[in-house]
Amino acid sequence: MTDLSPSPRATSLLLPDARTRARNSAEARFRAYGFAAICLALLMLAILLVSILGNGLSSFRQTYISFPVLLTEEKLDKSGTRDIAVMKTVTTVGYMKVIADSLEQVLKDKGIDVGDLKSKDVAALLSEEAPAAIRDRVLADPTMLGQTIPVRLLASGRIDGFFKGRVTAESAAKGTKIKPEQLVLAEKLRQAGLIETRFNFAFITAPDASEKRPEAAGLGVAIIGSLYMMIVVLVLSLPIGVSAAVYLEEFAPKNRFTDVIEVNISNLAAVPSIVFGILGLAAFINFAHLPQSAPLVGGLVLTLMTLPRIIIPARAALKAVPPSIRDAALGVGASKMQSVFHHVLPLAAPGILTGMIIGLAQALGETAPLLLIGMVAFVRDYPGLPPEGFFDPATALPVQIYSWTQRSDPAFVERASGAIIVLLVFLLIMNAVAIVLRRRFERRW
Amino acid sequence: MPLPLILALAVLLLGAGFFSARARAIVAAGGDARRLHSLPSFHGWLGLLAFALPAGGVLLLLVMAGNTAPLGVASLTLATTTGLMGWAAVLYTTNAETRARNRVEALVQIFLIFCSVIAIATTLGIILSLLFETAAFFQQYSWTKFFFGTLWRPDFRGNSDLGFLPLLWGTLYVSALALAVAVPIGLFAAIYMSEYAGPKMRSVVKPAIELLAGIPTIVYGLFALITVGPLLRDWVAQPLGLGESGASVATAGLVMGVMIIPFVSSLSDDIINAVPQSLRDGSLGLGATKSETIRQVVLPAALPGIVGAVLLAASRAIGETMIVVLGAGAAAKLSLNPFEAMTTMTVKIVSQLTGDTDFSAPETLVAFALGLTLFTITLGLNIFALYIVRKYREQYE
């Protein structure tokens, strides 16, 4: 018979025994793991954003030197006749000499002691881009010759780094690009009001600059290139994607062919982006001989990538429209296609639009396929207006970031981080628009 | 002829085609539109398409036949003439009984099918282009040496060693590290959000974690290059004497893991939410604590879906390019040290295809072989994930 004597340990519902305590602490630990996982993920996000912002915000400010420059006629217009062809023979080297002379004069007038620095070291405070700007202004308006004009010129990359804290006297003594005495002179100029660090619009509008001049590098070409590519993606992928979604959702019979198409689309959504780059290289550049580095080719490759990402949300949006709408349309005498295009599609439009904007935002951030079709070249000129502009060489925002990271000057790290901030701002705007649209127009059936 | 002028003329002609066909239909019905079989606008569309489709077809044929000036005066005149013939044919045969709507809808249906087939065309294009160039590569370099070679040393003067194994090892190592970071964090985050978190916390945390997925990979790459790499090198690798380089497998794996967290977390979240409440209630009713319920009832029920999510995340990690380009370096080696720079397949695809190189050299064609292998691996993983989910998922009433 069973031994019915009670167990020696008296258990009570009011006092937890050891096993219950262990189970409860296991519960608390488990819950803590989950919470810690979330905190860890959000911490990584925060570290990422803070690191990018910290590195990149300084690229929106740039150091400029302002002083009056005397455009001496004898050096800039050898013939004295204001003939543009003759004036063009004076290169930026000549203009740099004129500017350097004016700078030395200004320093003498203000009583700033240059110490042991030679005049070429004083001139090295200016960026190598500076004489090009003056030259363009003079060639555009030769009547300026002989006058003294106030100018605001870019300071060189190392001086800019000094005022942003990247370059110090110790690092200048160790390196070869700049001397500590030049930094001292720059500080004196700042105290005299000649050097200032201001907001830098040129970062967004100027084209890219060569490796030695990070202070002049800008995102203008990249932003226009990305804009053109987004236009191509929008114009091509919206009709094709919505048409495919409408066919698959409304008209396709349930047979093997439709299955194959659906499997294909979900596979394409998971293919790595670099494979699309290979496809673009083989099909558009080698086979169709379209120009390399053109926004059109980049847009075509991104369209192929974005198509599955539009078809899937569009199908979901079409599926969400209740069948009663379709039946009602058929009931008043519409054909199937009329019911879809006049009734179902307008009701599914907000969802389709949201999916489209999110797909565009993902396409904006893609780099790998664009690298393979050659958009990584150094492009100095803005692409033209559409439609010819679609065939001009251009670059894209993420590709520009990548090529800046490959350059040796550490000032390009700041530029790349600033470009990332610009890219993230664009993405934030697009995602915010998508969310607002979804909130405003979404209908709950 | 300048393009805006051509576009303006095209719009004019199309509009004229639409309105003229529409008017002709109404005239054919004796002025009363109700006697027509189809709405007048459908007759208009039929007229427009009867002009546009032959004209467009002629232009396309000319471009495919190698005409370099498709928008020149000669080809445009030919196209317009063909279009006018089509338009005239429609106008001549229009009467009140013409099934204009059926014809237009048939044409629209063809267009819809064509758009759907573009997806197949893309896949076919990918496979064909990869196969074609890979075949050309294997004619110049033996496939056994490629798939089983352990040395990757391309030399553009010829006689290079193009072994695949170091690249495969680097890819798998980085992806394994990324999954080791992402799966615990993502899974626990998903469990907490679906089981413990209140609606307010969910509405804040879920979009924040989705934000990690929306950040472009170049941002992660730069983060790896300038922040994580030096951090790991200065605080972990150098004190332990394991490596001197900022770019390493650990850097790329860590950053890639952070990128993949939302994939694991949101897919697992959906799957855990799909487990019916009755299972949880039954377990709680028998006296289990919440964590025991999750560990012994919910997770086993959701396991196929979670495994599928992990496999999909793995395929995403394997195909990732920019993080490894910037974070893992370019040295191909077979090493167990995670703080050494090791490269992956995707990095080599980029580096072999972006250079001023001869396109038919084996050093450039190897990128296509690598691309084909990458495509096969990721496709295989995706199909395997779908198969597992389909085969083992629980069917709840």
Side-chain angles (χ1 to χ4, degrees), chain B residues 205-220:
Chain B
V205 168
K206 204 161 181 339
I209 294 192
E210 299 292 325
L211 210 63
L212 277 173
I215 296 180
T217 53
I218 182 84
V219 179
Y220 284 111

Side-chain angles (χ1 to χ4, degrees), chain A residues 23-24 26-27 30-31 33-35 37-38 40-42 44-45 47-48 51-52 55 240 243-244 246-248 251 257 260-261 264-265 267-268 270-272 274-276 278-279 281-282 286 304 307 335 337-338 341 365 367-368 371-372 387 398 401-402 405-406 413 416-417 420 423-424 427, chain B residues 3 39 42 101 105 108-109 111-113 115-120 122-123 125-126 129-130 185 188-189 191-193 196 201 205 208 211-212 215-216 218-220 222-223 225-227 258 287-292 294 319 321-322 325-326 346 349-350 353-354 359 368 371 374-375 378-379 382:
Chain A
R23 287 172 64 205
N24 285 339
E27 161 79 21
F30 192 78
R31 189 184 169 127
Y33 290 156
F35 190 69
I38 292 188
L40 206 58
L42 294 180
M44 306 271 204
L45 178 64
I47 293 178
L48 173 70
S51 141
I52 298 286
N55 277 319
I240 299 181
S243 309
V246 163
Y247 176 71
L248 287 172
F251 295 105
F257 184 60
V260 166
I261 299 183
N264 251 308
I265 291 179
N267 276 337
L268 276 180
V271 166
I274 195 162
V275 175
F276 284 101
I278 298 182
L279 171 66
L281 181 66
N286 286 345
L304 289 178
L307 267 181
S335 70
M337 199 164 283
Q338 279 174 316
F341 280 98
T367 325
L371 288 182
L372 292 186
I401 297 172
Y402 170 70
T405 60
Q406 304 293 307
V413 166
S417 306
I420 286 183
L423 178 64
L424 287 178
L427 289 176
Chain B
L3 192 62
L39 289 173
F42 279 109
R101 178 174 59 76
E105 288 187 352
V108 173
Q109 182 112 337
F111 175 68
L112 293 182
I113 297 182
C115 289
S116 315
V117 165
I118 286 187
I120 300 190
T122 312
T123 314
I126 292 178
S129 58
L130 286 175
I185 298 183
F188 269 107
I191 291 174
Y192 189 86
M193 275 205 294
Y196 292 104
M201 186 175 190
V205 168
L211 210 63
L212 277 173
I215 296 180
I218 182 84
V219 179
Y220 284 111
L222 191 73
F223 181 55
L225 183 70
I226 59 179
T227 308
V258 173
T289 64
K290 199 154 183 180
S291 68
E292 286 164 359
I294 296 175
T321 316
M322 292 323 293
V325 164
L326 291 174
T346 45
I349 293 178
V350 172
L353 279 178
T354 55
F359 209 78
F368 289 96
L374 183 70
F375 182 66
T378 48
L379 202 66
N382 290 332

Side-chain angles (χ1 to χ4, degrees), chain A residues 62-65 125-127 153-157 159-160 195 215:
Chain A
Q62 193 66 30
T63 310
Y64 294 91
I65 311 184
L125 288 183
L126 293 161
S127 160
L153 301 171
L154 269 178
S156 85
I159 298 293
D160 186 50
I195 285 187
E215 64 275 3

Side-chain angles (χ1 to χ4, degrees), chain A residues 108-139:
Chain A
K108 239 184 282 184
D109 293 340
K110 296 243 175 179
I112 299 179
D113 178 25
V114 299
D116 298 328
L117 288 174
K118 301 197 267 287
S119 59
K120 86 166 160 69
D121 291 331
V122 173
L125 288 183
L126 293 161
S127 160
E128 290 173 32
E129 288 282 314
I134 302 288
R135 182 170 180 269
D136 291 336
R137 276 176 74 176
V138 169
L139 285 177

Side-chain angles (χ1 to χ4, degrees), chain A residues 175-193:
Chain A
T176 54
K177 292 262 174 78
I178 196 161
K179 303 188 187 134
E181 296 82 16
Q182 285 172 304
L183 297 180
V184 168
L185 177 60
E187 183 57 36
K188 286 192 202 157
L189 283 174
R190 189 183 71 81
Q191 281 163 356

